[in-house]
Amino acid sequence: MIRSIFSDYKIGNLTLDNRIVMAPMTRGFADDETGEVNYLVADYYGKRARYGAGLIITEGIAINETAKGTYGIPGIFTHCQTLSWQKVTKEVHQYKTKIFAQLWHVGRVSHQEFLNGHAPVAPSPIAASGKAHRLRKPFPRPRALTNTEIYHIIDDYRDAARNAMEAGFDGVEIHAAHGYLIDQFINEKTNQRQDEFGGSLQNRLHFLDLIIKEVKKVVPKNRISIRISEKKDDDTDYVWEYPEEMVCAITEILAKHQLKILHPSVENYEDTFQNDPRSLHALFRQYWDETLIAVGNIAPESGADIIEADQADLVAFGQLFISNPDLVIRLKANREIFPYQTKDRLPCLV
Ligand SMILES: Cc1cc2nc3c(=O)[nH]c(=O)nc-3n(C[C@H](O)[C@H](O)[C@H](O)COP(=O)(O)O)c2cc1C
């Protein structure tokens, strides 16, 4: 049978109507005080569902009160926030689209002005370089988490995942990419701990390992996606010294937990590593037999080729879903697809 981007796709008991995924994109339209989302957010995701996205992965959602790194970030740790997401899942489920909540903690990539005066937290007290989003103030020195606090945050991931399922999401994506908290543990530059969470690569992956273990208690394993990247939003020169070792160590943990979905993140899908002639997706494809999501500035016409060539199982588009809410219809009908303009980010959701 020919693999097609428009054919349905099964991950255990989860059936997607097609292989097109809306990538997670922070938009900043939640109520900044309460972290709740409103009907405009429901309408925004609902529109992408109505026009046929197979799977939507939401913007990053804060798992606790120390997790956010800019204004307007939604949360999923209070009862009211959880209820507010029901509007979104209800709207999306009117169509055949599935929706995952992306669980996010930014760690040190934040500022006390976003955190009710509290310093951001991180594995080690090393400040990120650059300035806090929209606030334009330098990232402060974060406070190193105690061992007990780390276990509390792991529990927060589980509780947020439970709330996500209560809110009607079909699954969750754990954001372990882009230099945010989980990635700060994985990265040898930002993690200088001497305890079970620092030192060897296995120890640095221990935080992710324990989060998966907890989240699995409340979300079926075929409905948990893991997002991983080499690139860090706050350290653009960072590279993995040994990409293959990193990819093997990550896939080993995912396989141990019998997870089914991996969502590697790159800016450009075709880019290869500095230290390896393969791309991130190609390398994961070699070591990971389950569902792989392709993403990264993929041209509309290339999505079908990626699926047909069996390079990945699903194809995610980010910015093109902002500029074309009806992207799937346009792809099917071979109609014009509008490029994303930075102005599409603000000031309103469409
Ligand atoms: C406005 C914007 C917000 C984003 N927010 C997130 C996010 O919250 N979580 C995440 O994992 N990736 C985020 N990303 C990255 C996208 O998920 C995606 O990987 C990236 O845009 C590349 O895909 P594209 O070239 O098709 O847009 C964001 C990207 C954009 C443009």
Side-chain angles (χ1 to χ4, degrees):
M1 203 176 81
I2 297 179
R3 294 162 58 92
S4 156
I5 195 168
F6 300 115
S7 59
D8 61 4
Y9 182 74
K10 279 192 191 336
I11 310 167
N13 64 359
L14 179 76
T15 303
L16 308 182
D17 206 29
N18 58 54
R19 292 161 181 258
I20 301 169
V21 178
M22 178 176 170
M25 280 178 295
T26 291
R27 303 302 307 276
F29 287 101
D31 183 297
D32 197 54
E33 287 289 307
T34 64
E36 292 166 29
V37 289
N38 63 19
Y39 70 95
L40 287 173
V41 175
D43 185 58
Y44 161 77
Y45 286 114
K47 219 176 273 169
R48 274 79 188 165
R50 180 166 1 120
Y51 294 124
L55 171 68
I56 291 173
I57 304 173
T58 67
E59 62 210 278
I61 308 177
I63 58 129
N64 68 15
E65 56 290 325
T66 61
K68 71 183 234 187
T70 187
Y71 299 109
I73 298 302
I76 194 147
F77 52 91
T78 71
H79 181 60
C80 291
Q81 290 165 355
T82 305
L83 280 183
S84 78
W85 280 107
Q86 281 180 359
K87 288 195 278 292
V88 176
T89 58
K90 223 169 158 185
E91 185 71 25
V92 165
H93 286 153
Q94 287 187 68
Y95 313 99
K96 283 167 76 186
T97 302
K98 302 294 188 294
I99 181 164
F100 279 21
Q102 192 187 55
L103 304 181
W104 195 23
H105 192 306
V106 300
R108 69 177 191 161
V109 187
S110 188
H111 193 279
Q112 48 270 32
E113 289 191 30
F114 301 131
L115 304 173
N116 294 324
H118 298 289
V121 294
S124 302
I126 305 164
S129 52
K131 292 184 175 167
H133 186 249
R134 284 174 61 191
L135 195 64
R136 297 182 203 288
K137 294 187 182 173
F139 289 116
R141 191 165 183 256
R143 187 173 66 72
L145 289 161
T146 65
N147 192 275
T148 311
E149 284 174 322
I150 293 175
Y151 279 93
H152 284 310
I153 293 183
I154 293 165
D155 288 348
D156 290 341
Y157 272 95
R158 182 204 53 229
D159 294 347
R162 184 190 289 120
N163 288 344
M165 298 314 271
E166 270 174 32
F169 283 103
D170 300 287
V172 299
E173 177 166 281
I174 297 172
H175 193 346
H178 302 170
Y180 297 110
L181 184 64
I182 299 175
D183 207 9
Q184 288 157 30
F185 273 87
I186 300 173
N187 180 345
E188 70 288 354
K189 276 171 77 179
T190 49
N191 180 349
Q192 311 210 324
R193 299 183 72 88
Q194 310 283 325
D195 62 4
E196 64 188 284
F197 294 102
S200 68
L201 177 56
Q202 268 59 36
N203 280 8
R204 286 183 274 121
L205 284 165
H206 191 45
F207 185 52
L208 174 63
D209 187 16
L210 292 181
I211 290 169
I212 296 171
K213 186 169 165 229
E214 282 306 304
V215 169
K216 256 176 59 181
K217 291 180 180 166
V218 293
V219 182
K221 50 187 185 282
N222 63 319
R223 290 161 180 263
I224 302 171
S225 166
I226 304 294
R227 193 151 217 216
I228 291 287
S229 69
E230 178 190 44
K231 86 177 167 91
K232 320 292 174 217
D233 284 355
D234 60 315
D235 183 1
T236 46
D237 296 331
Y238 180 86
V239 292
W240 285 339
E241 200 176 347
Y242 303 108
E244 193 151 9
E245 181 196 30
M246 190 60 99
V247 159
C248 289
I250 291 164
T251 48
E252 235 168 65
I253 290 178
L254 271 54
K256 177 180 90 179
H257 289 291
Q258 299 179 305
L259 296 196
K260 305 292 177 201
I261 313 172
L262 177 60
H263 186 187
S265 172
V266 277
E267 251 163 63
N268 294 296
Y269 175 71
E270 308 260 324
D271 284 355
T272 55
F273 291 103
Q274 258 182 41
N275 309 333
D276 191 292
R278 291 162 288 189
S279 68
L280 182 66
H281 284 85
L283 197 45
F284 270 123
R285 196 61 161 172
Q286 205 170 319
Y287 289 100
W288 174 249
D289 293 331
E290 305 289 348
T291 300
L292 184 73
I293 307 179
V295 72
N297 199 17
I298 294 174
E301 60 282 4
S302 308
D305 298 341
I306 290 170
I307 297 297
E308 280 161 33
D310 199 10
Q311 292 175 9
D313 305 291
L314 303 173
V315 173
F317 297 98
Q319 296 159 81
L320 291 181
F321 256 115
I322 294 182
S323 47
N324 304 266
D326 54 351
L327 180 65
V328 177
I329 300 218
R330 288 178 180 277
L331 284 170
K332 265 190 188 153
N334 229 347
R335 274 169 49 199
E336 183 185 3
I337 289 172
F338 300 109
Y340 170 80
Q341 317 273 353
T342 327
K343 71 168 175 49
D344 292 338
R345 285 187 194 186
L346 292 169
C348 64
L349 279 177
V350 284

